[in-house]
Amino acid sequence: MEKQNLLEIRNLKKYFSTPRGELHAVDNVSFDIERGKTIGVVGESGCGKSTLGKTLMRLHDPTSGEVRYKGEDIASMPLSVFKKKYRADIQMIFQDPYASLDPRMNVIQLIEEPVRVNSKDLGKEEIRKKAREMMELVGLAKRLENSYPHELDGGRRQRIGIARALSLNPEFIVCDEPVSALDVSIQAQILNLLQDLQRERGLTYLFITHDMSVVRHISDDIAVMYLGQLIEKCPAGEIFKNTIHPYSRALLSAIPIPNVHEKRERMVLKGELTSPIDPKKCCRFAARCPYATDQCLETEPALREMRPGHFVACHGAEKFLS
Ligand SMILES: Nc1ncnc2c1ncn2[C@@H]1O[C@H](COP(=O)(O)OP(=O)(O)OP(=O)(O)O)[C@@H](O)[C@H]1O
Ligand SMILES: [Mg+2]
């Protein structure tokens, strides 16, 4: 089948005004997301992963840039137009479903809620029927209909979050650390559920995680972020074999994965983390990079395609090609 981009993100910026200056949470990020695929987004805490996800779906208003969804720029249209036209299409699954679930509502009410809000023409019976279908789809037993979130374990609560997101028949879902709060055994169940749903419904995911073994399991493409910027993007298989950016290499060397990077040495990052507030125009990783040159301290590296589909923002990228 021919490749098709569901989203094309161009020069997307999200800055927050703070008392200390402008915080560049997402800074000039450009990439494509292919329909029916999963792009994993990784990077340290505070590098802008959640802000990117929220900005894509207009939970934050972008500072500038474009987010073309099926060719139409959803970043610049009035929020009311976006909500009317696309709110159902683009959904989010959060790390902590508990925080986003009203504790006074039981399971069936929680799943009915988004259906009721978005499909005003449906009657009570139809809404209930739809909610029951969703429960079945995500593997929640019928007997749990009248349970409250605090009575359920983390995995079941996340299933409610997934059912709520899916109830509107979305095409694109931002999954923000959806399994990080779960026990390892339950993580695998939820990841498998997300993958099954993707196959059955042709869903496209932006999957945010700290966990490199999770990202490896679920992604078709991987995007590495550093201080608000996209520094490497490539097919998932490439990044564990042929990682180019020194930061990605450090990030990957910190986790044990058998059979990749056979001679991998653990690289420890030294030096100070550059502030995301009013950053200088240079490579943001330069202060911590063992290979930094004067050029890195003076000019910002652009994202370059070093191999087909493999993009890197590093002045020294040629040196790290294997
Ligand atoms: N509403 C806000 N107002 C001001 N600054 C914010 C706001 N939301 C996020 N930030 C800042 O933006 C930067 C990126 O935050 P973000 O939450 O997107 O990071 P993250 O990569 O999701 O981190 P984590 O892995 O810890 O979830 C951080 O410096 C954060 O402090
Ligand atoms: Mg986050």
Side-chain angles (χ1 to χ4, degrees):
M1 218 168 61
E2 205 189 328
K3 273 194 191 177
Q4 214 184 1
N5 292 332
L6 187 65
L7 283 108
E8 290 165 346
I9 297 145
R10 294 293 175 269
N11 309 104
L12 188 66
K13 296 183 184 172
K14 175 62 194 174
Y15 296 172
F16 294 110
S17 295
T18 75
R20 290 187 296 140
E22 286 233 280
L23 191 150
H24 295 213
V26 172
D27 208 359
N28 216 16
V29 166
S30 302
F31 63 101
D32 297 335
I33 305 179
E34 227 184 290
R35 187 188 279 275
K37 299 282 165 117
T38 299
I39 178 154
V41 178
V42 297
E44 281 164 297
S45 184
C47 71
K49 303 181 296 295
S50 297
T51 305
L52 171 66
K54 288 180 182 164
T55 308
L56 292 184
M57 56 179 302
R58 293 293 297 263
L59 290 180
H60 286 317
D61 256 334
T63 302
S64 63
E66 286 178 28
V67 177
R68 295 199 287 266
Y69 180 75
K70 297 182 183 170
E72 186 174 17
D73 183 15
I74 56 172
S76 58
M77 62 175 54
L79 188 60
S80 56
V81 176
F82 170 79
K83 281 187 173 166
K84 211 164 160 191
K85 225 169 149 181
Y86 294 114
R87 174 48 81 227
D89 283 8
I90 304 179
Q91 289 289 309
M92 191 153 180
I93 300 172
F94 298 92
Q95 170 173 2
D96 180 7
Y98 201 46
S100 57
L101 299 177
D102 185 339
R104 293 161 306 181
M105 289 166 93
N106 65 26
V107 173
I108 194 82
Q109 289 168 334
L110 283 165
I111 299 175
E112 283 179 349
E113 187 191 30
V115 184
R116 186 174 313 113
V117 171
N118 279 274
S119 326
K120 299 222 158 52
D121 46 335
L122 289 186
K124 235 172 145 183
E125 288 305 309
E126 288 163 303
I127 293 173
R128 172 85 15 142
K129 186 162 165 265
K130 176 88 184 166
R132 286 191 170 138
E133 274 169 32
M134 287 300 127
M135 282 185 70
E136 195 178 338
L137 185 69
V138 302
L140 282 169
K142 191 157 184 297
R143 67 182 156 79
L144 298 174
E145 273 188 11
N146 299 315
S147 302
Y148 287 85
H150 73 268
E151 298 171 321
L152 304 174
D153 63 29
R156 292 207 175 90
R157 287 205 287 260
Q158 191 54 290
R159 287 177 198 268
I160 301 176
I162 296 171
R164 281 165 59 91
L166 282 175
S167 63
L168 304 175
N169 293 325
E171 295 194 68
F172 175 58
I173 304 183
V174 174
C175 307
D176 193 351
E177 310 259 11
V179 299
S180 317
L182 306 177
D183 290 344
V184 175
S185 59
I186 297 176
Q187 284 191 5
Q189 294 171 14
I190 297 293
L191 290 176
N192 289 338
L193 172 64
L194 289 171
Q195 286 186 306
D196 290 345
L197 292 168
Q198 177 169 51
R199 263 191 303 272
E200 287 161 21
R201 307 186 150 226
L203 297 169
T204 305
Y205 294 144
L206 179 98
F207 195 101
I208 297 168
T209 179
H210 286 92
D211 186 333
M212 299 306 296
S213 50
V214 167
V215 85
R216 180 162 178 257
H217 183 69
I218 197 150
S219 310
D220 298 291
D221 284 308
I222 295 189
V224 184
M225 285 184 75
Y226 189 79
L227 276 176
Q229 297 184 318
L230 179 73
I231 56 143
E232 186 153 7
K233 188 205 170 212
C234 63
E238 274 278 287
I239 198 142
F240 291 97
K241 287 199 299 273
N242 298 315
T243 313
I244 297 176
H245 198 290
Y247 173 69
S248 312
R249 294 172 355 142
L251 193 71
L252 296 171
S253 71
I255 38 130
I257 296 174
N259 303 326
V260 270
H261 279 246
E262 270 112 49
K263 287 200 306 292
R264 218 150 40 113
E265 276 163 37
R266 192 181 162 129
M267 187 161 123
V268 179
L269 290 178
K270 297 198 195 80
E272 264 193 62
L273 194 72
T274 310
S275 165
I277 296 175
D278 300 321
K280 276 205 316 219
K281 280 261 170 218
C282 67
C283 172
R284 290 190 193 166
F285 184 59
R288 293 164 95 189
C289 182
Y291 312 100
T293 61
D294 287 347
Q295 189 189 16
C296 308
L297 298 166
E298 283 154 16
T299 47
E300 201 169 60
L303 207 59
R304 294 181 290 153
E305 190 166 13
M306 300 304 295
R307 267 198 282 266
H310 193 149
F311 298 85
V312 189
C314 171
H315 290 304
E318 283 77 9
K319 286 199 292 258
F320 307 118
L321 280 174
S322 50

